[in-house]
Amino acid sequence: MAHDIVFFLAPDDETAAATRLGGPGRAFESVSCRFIEPDSAIAEWDMYFAQPSAGIPPLEQLHGWSWPEWVTPPLNDGVEVFALPQRLTRALADAGFTELEELAGRWTTRLRSVDGDDMTDDDLLAVLQGVARLATSAVSTGGRLYSWSF
């Protein structure tokens, strides 16, 4: 489980990769959260928009889903930089409150079932709303969404 996660807007993969050592910092529009697995969160969100449902699909279905691509290769230091799929960025940008609320409920249920009491204390709806705002900016500026985690 990643300790610190930052979803951020960057113009391209090269710029996003340059954040690897120090994180995105204040130079990028971002949303932070803690104690989640960003790659599984991104896959969960992507699966939701492809197959909307308030109920959580089986874990095997999530594990078989298309997972985000690394922008930088993984090393043993625990830092990861992922690119969110473009289709997910567009879906988040187009999502209304009700969709984000349903997704947050589903995501919370999944995390609670996997992590139990160790689940993040973050307001997951607020995280999703923040990432959706970044997605709207990405779509309007031609940028991309990324996640940095440690």
Side-chain angles (χ1 to χ4, degrees):
M1 179 177 307
H3 187 265
D4 293 310
I5 303 92
V6 181
F7 293 97
F8 67 100
L9 178 61
D12 53 48
D13 289 356
E14 184 179 335
T15 304
T19 69
R20 190 193 174 295
L21 292 178
R26 295 175 189 238
F28 298 89
E29 286 184 72
S30 65
V31 172
S32 299
C33 58
R34 299 171 54 86
F35 305 116
I36 65 163
E37 291 292 344
D39 53 349
S40 64
I42 294 165
E44 179 83 39
W45 302 348
D46 192 40
M47 182 189 297
Y48 170 82
F49 287 109
Q51 301 171 355
S53 165
I56 61 171
L59 199 54
E60 299 79 31
Q61 187 176 354
L62 177 64
H63 288 162
W65 199 255
S66 177
W67 287 60
E69 295 183 16
W70 278 296
V71 175
T72 58
L75 301 174
N76 289 332
D77 62 1
V79 175
E80 296 178 316
V81 180
F82 292 107
L84 275 71
Q86 290 285 59
R87 70 180 172 271
L88 175 57
T89 300
R90 283 188 299 278
L92 284 164
D94 293 340
F97 178 79
T98 302
E99 286 176 298
L100 294 175
E101 188 175 47
E102 186 173 273
L103 173 55
R106 176 172 141 167
W107 185 29
T108 299
T109 300
R110 168 96 58 207
L111 290 177
R112 195 167 281 128
S113 73
V114 172
D115 299 334
D117 291 340
D118 292 331
M119 189 181 115
T120 182
D121 289 335
D122 285 314
D123 177 343
L124 298 181
L125 177 56
V127 170
L128 280 168
Q129 289 171 321
V131 175
R133 280 190 297 276
L134 292 177
T136 301
S137 293
V139 168
S140 69
T141 64
R144 299 242 2 234
L145 278 182
Y146 299 90
S147 74
W148 176 94
S149 60
F150 175 73

